[in-house]
Amino acid sequence: MLQSKLFGKTLREAPRGEVSNNAILLSRAGYIDKLMAGAYSYLPLGYKVLAKIQQIVREEMEAIGGQEIYMPALQPKELWQETGRWEVLKEIMFQFKGRGDKEFGLATTHEEVIVDIVRKRLTSYRDLPLHLFQIQDKFRNEPRAKSGLLRGREFSMKDLYSFHASQKDLEDYYQKAIPAYQKIFKRCGLQSIVTEASGGVFTKEFSHEFQAPTPYGEDEIITCELCDFSQNTEICKLKEGDKCPKCGGKVKLTKSIEVGNIFKLGCKYSADMGLTYADESGKKQEVIMGCYGIGPSRVMGSVVEVHHDDKGIVWPKNLTPYHVHLLQISDKRKKDAEKIYQDLIKQNIAVLYDDREESAGVKLNDADLIGINLQLIVGDKTKDKIEYRTRSGKDRGIIKMDEVVKAVEKIYH
Ligand code: ATP
Ligand code: MG
């Protein structure tokens, strides 16, 4: 991709009113455009990153048996009345009238719709277990939508729903979902702490949140310095320095972002909506459910909160919108830069080529702001050679023209 043609130029200033690192940096670097508080468009660079996160999520959900579907965001009131949640969620759900007197809501979540789909098709225990997921936008009338992609009023969510014939089967699947989630966050360059949290209004059991530690997080969690004990302060009575109830070690308080949350739903929705199956003896039984959410757009914002410096974004290599940012900073070496550009394209290496007529300073600053994982700099200083450096600063050096493809491949494998 030629940067001179790229839609979404870098901006000197973030839009007024943006206070979070992720919104400021992603706006300035040309990844997102703010429509209003809590609603962002993804520009070409931004959409590439979001799609990469969604693809990682998709791969890991398929690896634990998830089948992808896609459900409507526009939903009828009657369905939500079956579970009583039309009332329960009315603060957070966008609810409105359509033609005539018909009322609709925009999906805050999809339990009602998925149960409706499954109850029409599920008959016997042989149809179980079943794991369905989608990656789709959710709508929530959030009171605080000031943290960019971390808290959208419209945001991307992956929601998986699992259906089981026994509590044990749900338990087993739940225990598989935890490492699958950890793998997702690891691939996205985020540390994730499995944290006990409230199970919601319908259960006394805990749910499990995946918390990415960062001083910019809105959540606070208690963790143990010795073992894996961790609880959200929403349910935890311990204070920093207290004894860990699990191992006796000391606990501490950490700020973090909730990037994922998984729940055992039990029979709440199947009971309310009549989702049953016939067991081996032909007896009707309620289906036992679990649900598993991740916000890909929140993950994108979180990655920027965790991985940035005073110059800009520092994308981890799995999320970088392009693998290479090729910077031609000397007119005399235009031919060399163009040759490398063609060589990389031939090898199917995603490259953004800064071919603009701008000063070296502007190009280098923009590259640091945009944060593509690997920069290749074609300038006078290196004579007929090329300087490479990873945005994180970990890896750098000078290589010959014909070593470029190999060097890039080495970094990405
Ligand atoms: P929070 O407590 O932060 O409001 P939640 O507990 O209501 O979130 P869930 O219903 O558990 O969120 O949603 C599953 C996942 O969807 C969350 O773990 C998070 O990654 C993402 N998510 C939830 N709300 C938002 C939002 N407003 N903007 C972006 N992502 C969100
Ligand atoms: Mg949650």
Side-chain angles (χ1 to χ4, degrees):
M1 177 77 203
L2 298 177
Q3 199 166 338
S4 58
K5 303 270 189 284
L6 180 69
F7 182 70
K9 299 205 182 332
T10 55
L11 307 172
R12 229 171 281 262
E13 303 275 338
R16 276 191 29 212
E18 291 291 26
V19 289
S20 64
N21 294 312
N22 78 88
I24 291 172
L25 291 173
L26 289 167
S27 304
R28 285 191 50 217
Y31 288 78
I32 58 173
D33 178 81
K34 183 179 189 174
L35 178 63
M36 59 182 177
Y40 290 89
S41 301
Y42 293 81
L43 305 183
L45 285 178
Y47 196 53
K48 275 186 189 291
V49 176
L50 182 68
K52 284 194 174 188
I53 297 168
Q54 292 172 335
Q55 183 56 24
I56 290 171
V57 171
R58 175 177 291 117
E59 286 168 15
E60 297 303 335
M61 291 300 99
E62 288 182 343
I64 56 166
Q67 301 181 56
E68 190 167 7
I69 60 172
Y70 194 80
M71 295 180 269
L74 183 65
Q75 305 180 357
K77 173 182 178 181
E78 295 73 40
L79 194 62
W80 285 81
Q81 284 178 316
E82 290 188 42
T83 58
R85 291 212 296 179
W86 183 260
E87 277 303 311
V88 175
L89 295 179
K90 73 170 185 258
E91 293 268 283
I92 198 97
M93 190 175 189
F94 291 99
Q95 302 181 337
F96 48 91
K97 274 215 174 89
R99 285 180 195 276
D101 278 335
K102 202 152 168 50
E103 287 184 74
F104 300 94
L106 290 179
T108 52
T109 171
H110 274 80
E111 281 82 7
E112 279 76 0
V113 175
I114 194 97
V115 170
D116 181 61
I117 298 170
V118 174
R119 74 181 165 185
K120 292 180 203 153
R121 287 168 177 79
L122 189 79
T123 50
S124 102
Y125 67 94
R126 284 187 213 95
D127 301 329
L128 295 171
L130 177 65
H131 321 100
L132 300 171
F133 76 97
Q134 67 169 350
I135 301 171
Q136 200 239 22
D137 275 7
K138 299 279 188 271
F139 300 82
R140 293 183 183 178
N141 200 355
E142 298 276 5
R144 294 164 284 129
K146 287 186 300 195
S147 22
L149 297 187
L150 300 184
R151 188 168 295 285
R153 295 202 162 102
E154 175 176 352
F155 60 94
S156 171
M157 198 199 284
K158 182 284 301 177
D159 38 334
L160 184 144
Y161 303 89
S162 72
F163 302 85
H164 308 271
S166 69
Q167 189 64 33
K168 159 123 192 2
D169 198 53
L170 166 65
E171 197 59 52
D172 289 348
Y173 192 71
Y174 196 86
Q175 292 308 329
K176 263 202 235 168
I178 292 174
Y181 265 49
Q182 287 172 308
K183 209 161 155 201
I184 289 170
F185 299 122
K186 189 162 180 220
R187 287 178 67 183
C188 291
L190 286 180
Q191 192 195 338
S192 66
I193 300 173
V194 185
T195 301
E196 291 174 337
S198 156
V201 276
F202 307 118
T203 167
K204 286 202 176 60
E205 252 194 274
F206 291 140
S207 73
H208 290 87
E209 293 175 342
F210 295 78
Q211 294 280 356
T214 151
Y216 308 108
E218 280 181 8
D219 280 30
E220 285 184 335
I221 58 171
I222 291 286
T223 58
C224 174
E225 57 178 17
L226 295 179
C227 73
D228 61 0
F229 174 83
S230 175
Q231 286 190 332
N232 195 307
T233 51
E234 285 168 7
I235 61 156
C236 190
K237 293 190 178 62
L238 302 173
K239 289 197 179 49
E240 186 147 67
D242 282 356
K243 238 187 183 177
C244 168
K246 205 167 150 183
C247 75
K250 261 200 195 144
V251 300
K252 63 174 188 157
L253 188 72
T254 305
K255 276 194 182 295
S256 60
I257 303 169
E258 177 201 322
V259 281
N261 200 181
I262 63 177
F263 297 81
K264 294 172 202 164
L265 298 174
C267 294
K268 153 75 188 159
Y269 296 94
S270 4
D272 285 350
M273 297 182 66
L275 171 63
T276 60
Y277 69 97
D279 69 13
E280 285 176 58
S281 63
K283 219 175 114 205
K284 257 193 183 178
Q285 303 282 1
E286 277 165 2
V287 174
I288 300 165
M289 287 176 63
C291 76
Y292 314 78
I294 288 186
S297 50
R298 182 179 283 184
V299 168
M300 181 166 161
S302 305
V303 169
V304 176
E305 295 295 336
V306 174
H307 300 289
H308 72 269
D309 59 20
D310 52 2
K311 297 191 188 119
I313 303 169
V314 185
W315 289 114
K317 63 181 180 184
N318 288 338
L319 300 189
T320 187
Y322 288 91
H323 288 127
V324 175
H325 203 165
L326 177 62
L327 308 169
Q328 177 248 306
I329 57 166
S330 151
D331 282 343
K332 281 184 239 148
R333 297 201 62 195
K334 207 170 176 117
K335 274 222 169 75
D336 286 349
E338 252 146 42
K339 167 142 193 345
I340 291 171
Y341 183 51
Q342 293 308 332
D343 288 350
L344 292 172
I345 288 176
K346 260 185 237 144
Q347 296 302 314
N348 273 324
I349 294 166
V351 49
L352 181 66
Y353 170 28
D354 195 347
D355 60 331
R356 297 173 304 165
E357 285 184 15
E358 292 283 0
S359 69
V362 166
K363 289 186 177 188
L364 292 166
N365 283 339
D366 276 354
D368 283 346
L369 177 60
I370 291 169
I372 289 171
N373 188 269
L374 177 63
Q375 300 174 355
L376 290 179
I377 302 158
V378 191
D380 288 334
K381 258 205 277 178
T382 49
K383 299 208 177 87
D384 60 340
K385 294 191 174 134
I386 309 292
E387 182 183 347
Y388 76 91
R389 62 178 188 215
T390 54
R391 176 62 180 86
S392 64
K394 275 198 196 113
D395 214 349
R396 63 195 316 158
I398 292 172
I399 44 178
K400 290 194 202 134
M401 289 275 293
D402 58 6
E403 290 168 349
V404 166
V405 169
K406 241 205 216 133
V408 174
E409 281 174 344
K410 199 174 138 218
I411 283 175
Y412 283 99
H413 287 114

